[in-house]
Amino acid sequence: MSTDNPTPADDADAVVDAAELQALRERVDELESSLADADSDDDGKKMSIVATKGTLDMAYPPLILGSTAAAFGWDVVVFHTFWGLDILHEEKAKDLKLSAVGNPNMPVPNAVAALPGMDAMATKMMRKKIADNETATIEELIELSLDQGVDLQACQMTIELMDYDEDDFYDGVTTDVGAATALQHMAESDIQLLV
């Protein structure tokens, strides 16, 4: 007997193999779809930053971290409260100071750092370093952050406490938010930072 002609048993195996193959294809499609969903979940990372200090050196970390995370596609909120609100204030942001007193990285003792004019000198030196290194300014980082989709929030309670007007802030800054809004985003975030 020739093996070229399939027997009825071979035909049954071929039908079963076709059915198994179809089931396998459907399972592969299902797994690929599931993997695609899992990959898109990775892009949904969230970061919350609370900015509480309004000095020149402390304005950089929340803006750099926030804009970088947003460039990776993360949902980023930077909640500015108390002195951190000055970072978003259009006039005050242009004139943030560097405090020489109590700054452990200053190359002078606190007794010298407390002398009149030391903060102005430290600020001038830092602004020169920023310019010489072509580091982005605070204004440029705010613009970049907003362009990247970072939600820069100004605490409403602090706006009222400091007697600021909502029009004092850069266009695109979110106002009329408070601690409850910040806490909600923090609770949903993968990363929470206090600066």
Side-chain angles (χ1 to χ4, degrees):
M1 176 191 279
S2 169
T3 57
D4 292 338
N5 294 330
T7 63
D10 290 336
D11 286 339
D13 288 343
V15 170
V16 170
D17 288 343
E20 287 177 5
L21 183 59
Q22 181 59 31
L24 185 57
R25 284 184 180 145
E26 289 173 4
R27 181 69 179 133
V28 167
D29 288 344
E30 182 182 320
L31 289 171
E32 285 177 347
S33 175
S34 177
L35 184 59
D37 289 345
D39 285 345
S40 61
D41 286 348
D42 288 345
D43 295 337
K45 290 190 178 185
K46 289 186 174 187
M47 175 187 272
S48 291
I49 302 172
V50 179
T52 62
K53 296 175 179 63
T55 58
L56 180 61
D57 54 331
M58 294 308 292
Y60 276 90
L63 295 172
I64 290 171
L65 291 168
S67 61
T68 301
F72 286 123
W74 294 15
D75 174 17
V76 181
V77 169
V78 184
F79 182 75
H80 295 77
T81 188
F82 284 85
W83 304 121
L85 205 58
D86 287 351
I87 298 167
L88 302 180
H89 190 282
E90 252 183 298
E91 291 307 312
K92 293 186 179 288
K94 295 173 185 168
D95 196 32
L96 296 177
K97 306 276 189 259
L98 182 67
S99 178
V101 176
N103 190 333
N105 291 321
M106 282 290 150
V108 295
N110 275 337
V112 175
L115 293 173
M118 288 301 288
D119 283 354
M121 185 178 79
T123 301
K124 185 176 180 178
M125 288 173 55
M126 180 57 77
R127 288 197 185 278
K128 182 176 178 346
K129 273 190 117 150
I130 289 168
D132 290 349
N133 287 312
E134 297 179 3
T135 301
T137 64
I138 297 305
E139 294 84 3
E140 291 168 335
L141 285 173
I142 289 171
E143 184 179 330
L144 174 66
S145 295
L146 292 168
D147 288 347
Q148 293 282 357
V150 175
D151 186 4
L152 298 177
Q153 297 181 348
C155 173
Q156 189 62 41
M157 182 201 73
T158 308
I159 290 172
E160 294 166 9
L161 179 69
M162 302 295 188
D163 203 26
Y164 291 157
D165 189 276
E166 291 181 12
D167 295 333
D168 294 339
F169 301 101
Y170 286 94
D171 291 340
V173 168
T174 302
T175 56
D176 202 28
V177 294
T181 304
L183 286 170
Q184 181 62 43
H185 195 272
M186 283 184 235
E188 298 167 356
S189 293
D190 300 289
I191 298 173
Q192 305 91 7
L193 301 171
L194 174 64
V195 180

